[in-house]
Amino acid sequence: MNLPTPGQPPQVPVLALGDVLLVSLQGELHDGMAEQLQHDITSRIAASRVTGVVIDISGVDIVDSFLGRVLAEIASTARLLAARTVLAGMRPAVAITLVELGLTLPGLVTALDVDRALELLSQRGT
Amino acid sequence: MNLPTPGQPPQVPVLALGDVLLVSLQGELHDGMAEQLQHDITSRIAASRVTGVVIDISGVDIVDSFLGRVLAEIASTARLLAARTVLAGMRPAVAITLVELGLTLPGLVTALDVDRALELLSQRGT
């Protein structure tokens, strides 16, 4: 795995919406970014009592086994810190490719878009 | 896997009932048709915010390992797009054959007929 280069790797922005974190992935996620993102999310959950994480992947064209594993790991880590993760905005072509690769992301809850993901989190969270 | 022939392969009709898609399989499903069906269902789910898919197999005499895999893949893809799939109307003889073949379709929810499948989807879907 590549470690982040000393000159600050590009970061994935993590927004707070009330007690939910919103992460929008765009394009490709490199090794260092994935690790950084996982650290960001977990520290934010612990620091600010976040109860849900929405990962928006509508800007992602390809989900390979690496990204699939990163997403599953983020969800597992969040769950251990008592937050639920919803994966939002998966494109149909991405879903088909994932299933063809045998990556069905069993531990992840999905929603069609960010709105529905937030709705899902607010419904079950109460 | 055979690709659909240029002269339009026979298609499996996909009906919309509210926010549920109803697919009635009849007779045998060929490779090209299966692929086409999977694409149809996924694009319809994404386009029209479908929350459930009912696959009626009451007209199917034989479910072999190919069809079993296609059904499981459709269900997995639908789940990634936040829709649930229910398999309806399996004949007793088909169920016996499936179990004899060791195909227990673990990821699939089943219902006795289409009515009960719709009921199941509306109950949990709210």
Side-chain angles (χ1 to χ4, degrees):
Chain A
M1 184 178 286
N2 300 324
L3 290 172
T5 50
Q8 286 294 326
Q11 282 196 2
V12 180
V14 179
L15 303 173
L17 294 176
D19 52 1
V20 172
L21 293 182
L22 174 60
V23 183
S24 272
L25 296 186
Q26 302 285 337
E28 243 183 298
L29 194 73
H30 300 288
D31 290 8
M33 287 166 73
E35 208 175 334
Q36 180 68 42
L37 177 62
Q38 195 166 0
H39 276 89
D40 283 356
I41 292 178
T42 47
S43 57
R44 292 279 285 273
I45 292 174
S48 56
R49 305 177 172 279
V50 165
T51 59
V53 178
V54 175
I55 305 179
D56 173 28
I57 58 164
S58 60
V60 175
D61 291 321
I62 298 166
V63 176
D64 57 6
S65 60
F66 169 70
L67 183 51
R69 190 168 55 77
V70 167
L71 294 172
E73 281 185 10
I74 289 175
S76 299
T77 316
R79 199 189 60 80
L80 289 173
L81 298 169
R84 287 162 308 134
T85 303
V86 179
L87 196 62
M90 187 182 292
R91 298 190 186 174
V94 169
I96 291 174
T97 311
L98 274 176
V99 170
E100 280 171 357
L101 289 173
L103 299 168
T104 54
L105 307 179
L108 278 166
V109 175
T110 53
L112 263 194
D113 50 38
V114 172
D115 268 0
R116 299 203 173 204
L118 293 173
E119 209 177 296
L120 207 66
L121 286 172
S122 67
Q123 273 174 8
R124 294 209 207 143
T126 42
Chain B
M1 186 179 283
N2 300 325
L3 291 172
T5 49
Q8 287 293 327
Q11 283 197 359
V12 180
V14 179
L15 304 174
L17 294 176
D19 52 2
V20 172
L21 294 181
L22 175 60
V23 183
S24 272
L25 295 187
Q26 303 284 337
E28 242 182 299
L29 193 72
H30 301 289
D31 289 8
M33 287 166 74
E35 208 175 331
Q36 179 68 43
L37 177 63
Q38 194 168 359
H39 276 89
D40 283 356
I41 291 178
T42 47
S43 56
R44 291 278 286 271
I45 292 174
S48 56
R49 305 179 171 277
V50 165
T51 60
V53 179
V54 175
I55 304 179
D56 173 28
I57 58 164
S58 59
V60 175
D61 291 323
I62 299 166
V63 176
D64 56 7
S65 60
F66 170 71
L67 184 52
R69 191 169 54 79
V70 168
L71 294 173
E73 281 187 6
I74 288 175
S76 298
T77 315
R79 198 193 62 80
L80 287 174
L81 298 171
R84 287 163 307 134
T85 303
V86 179
L87 195 62
M90 186 182 293
R91 298 189 187 175
V94 169
I96 292 173
T97 313
L98 275 177
V99 171
E100 280 171 353
L101 289 173
L103 298 168
T104 53
L105 307 179
L108 278 166
V109 175
T110 52
L112 265 192
D113 51 39
V114 172
D115 269 359
R116 295 190 184 213
L118 292 173
E119 207 175 300
L120 206 65
L121 286 173
S122 67
Q123 275 172 9
R124 294 208 210 143
T126 47

